[in-house]
Amino acid sequence: MSRIGRKPVAIPGNVKVALSGQKISVTGPKGTLSVNVHPEVKVQFVDAEKVVKFDIDKTKMDDRFARALWGANRALVQNAVNGVVSGYEKVMQVVGTGWTAQLQGKNLKLVCGLANPIIMPIPDGLTVTVDKAVGDTTPVKVVGIDRQLVGQFAAAMRQKRKPEPYNGKGIKYSTETIKKKQGKQFGA
């Protein structure tokens, strides 16, 4: 059995859930998200207990794929509930002398040691803010209600210039630690 799939998703008082077939719409103070649940996973909303319960067919209990879907779909709905209540945030750091990040309308402009600046369009549903640079580090906050969208944009941003271990330059998560390497030794 899936330990995660067995747990029901508790719905807070300020959140409304609408279930139509295999589609769950979650509406809260920050917005609305919808999750399409896989057909092998059975979903039911118990209004008296204010929970969403998930189950799979008893004949599929030995199937690893079905059990994985059970837990994964439950986690997606839990993430949607958390997103419409409190939202998600990733803080990125652009580290390097002269390296900056700026907002230009609905685009994020990254100047990070290349011949031309990198322009990243900001998807709908995300709010990106650039704080004042501290030293050679520019913090960039990515905020939204969809966990996947926030994480995907942050990962795409990091992919543009990954942090390198010799000088410590690059675009990294604020929680990430870069182990510095020594480099070559000259002279004796």
Side-chain angles (χ1 to χ4, degrees):
M1 287 188 89
S2 173
R3 286 179 288 183
I4 294 174
R6 278 186 299 190
K7 296 179 186 174
V9 176
I11 306 298
N14 57 355
V15 175
K16 291 186 174 79
V17 174
L19 182 64
S20 60
Q22 292 297 102
K23 185 175 182 178
I24 297 176
S25 295
V26 182
T27 306
K30 292 203 177 254
T32 302
L33 288 174
S34 61
V35 177
N36 291 320
V37 179
H38 196 275
E40 285 194 26
V41 180
K42 298 176 198 161
V43 183
Q44 67 176 1
F45 176 61
V46 181
D47 199 21
E49 300 175 28
K50 292 286 279 184
V51 294
V52 178
K53 292 184 178 181
F54 298 88
D55 200 11
I56 58 173
D57 193 13
K58 300 299 177 205
T59 60
K60 301 268 186 171
M61 286 293 180
D62 292 334
D63 185 12
R64 282 179 71 105
F65 182 67
R67 289 195 319 262
L69 286 174
W70 187 12
N73 283 287
R74 187 252 180 224
L76 289 174
V77 173
Q78 180 69 55
N79 290 342
V81 170
N82 291 344
V84 298
V85 171
S86 58
Y88 291 99
E89 174 182 287
K90 293 263 186 196
V91 180
M92 306 295 289
Q93 292 178 341
V94 179
V95 181
T97 305
W99 291 26
T100 61
Q102 298 174 347
L103 289 176
Q104 288 184 337
K106 289 288 286 172
N107 294 324
L108 177 67
K109 177 183 173 185
L110 299 171
V111 177
C112 48
L114 298 173
N116 297 319
I118 298 169
I119 306 293
M120 292 183 67
I122 300 170
D124 293 336
L126 285 186
T127 305
V128 177
T129 57
V130 179
D131 295 337
K132 190 172 184 241
V134 178
D136 62 348
T137 302
T138 306
V140 179
K141 278 187 188 172
V142 181
V143 179
I145 62 172
D146 188 354
R147 183 175 182 177
Q148 181 184 0
L149 194 60
V150 170
Q152 184 65 41
F153 186 79
M157 193 176 151
R158 183 181 185 276
Q159 191 68 36
K160 300 297 180 188
R161 282 303 286 255
K162 289 182 181 175
E164 53 97 12
Y166 294 103
N167 295 324
K169 293 180 180 180
I171 301 173
K172 67 182 192 89
Y173 298 105
S174 64
T175 57
E176 187 176 9
T177 304
I178 306 300
K179 283 188 175 179
K180 298 224 14 182
K181 291 186 179 176
Q182 187 174 359
K184 292 183 178 178
Q185 295 291 322
F186 292 103

